[in-house]
Amino acid sequence: MKILYSPQRHDDVIEYVFEHDIVHVTYKDQTETFDFSGMPDGRAENIETSLPINPIIEAWRENGVLHLKLLKFHGPDASEEERFPQWQEVSGND
C-alpha cells in the first residue's frame, strides 16, 4: 500500500494503523476500520464513515497496488517533512 498524507494545520490528532489493505483510523476517541482488501483496480467512490470527518481523501488501486491520500493534522511547529510529505510505502502492521 502507498500512502500520501494531506497535511492540515489543526490541533486535533488523527492516528492511523495499517494492516495489509486495511486502515484503522482513530479520531476523537472513535475508531473506524476501512477495508480495501477486496477493491479491484480503479477508484473508490463515496467512502462512508461514522467519524466526524472523513480521513480518506482518495483511494484507488492501480496494477494491484492500493494508493491512499489521507488527512493528517499537524501542530504549529510541524517539521518540513510533516508539512510537505512524500509518498510512503507501508505493509503489514506499519
Side-chain angles (χ1 to χ4, degrees):
M1 170 187 336
K2 293 185 178 187
I3 63 165
L4 178 66
Y5 289 120
S6 180
Q8 284 190 7
R9 170 61 187 99
H10 203 291
D11 290 327
D12 285 345
V13 175
I14 302 174
E15 296 177 339
Y16 295 94
V17 176
F18 303 100
E19 183 181 355
H20 306 289
D21 285 350
I22 299 171
V23 182
H24 305 280
V25 182
T26 302
Y27 177 68
K28 292 193 173 191
D29 296 325
Q30 239 182 307
T31 299
E32 183 155 354
T33 298
F34 297 88
D35 187 350
F36 296 98
S37 58
M39 182 180 160
D41 276 5
R43 293 202 174 274
E45 300 289 331
N46 302 319
I47 299 169
E48 295 184 14
T49 181
S50 62
L51 297 171
I53 58 164
N54 194 334
I56 311 292
I57 297 170
E58 278 188 276
W60 72 94
R61 191 177 296 275
E62 186 177 315
N63 297 320
V65 178
L66 180 62
H67 295 75
L68 298 174
K69 287 189 181 178
L70 305 172
L71 182 62
K72 184 72 169 183
F73 295 145
H74 65 76
D77 298 322
S79 68
E80 186 86 4
E81 183 178 325
E82 287 175 300
R83 291 183 294 123
F84 302 100
Q86 302 294 315
W87 282 98
Q88 301 175 33
E89 192 160 336
V90 296
S91 62
N93 294 317
D94 291 341

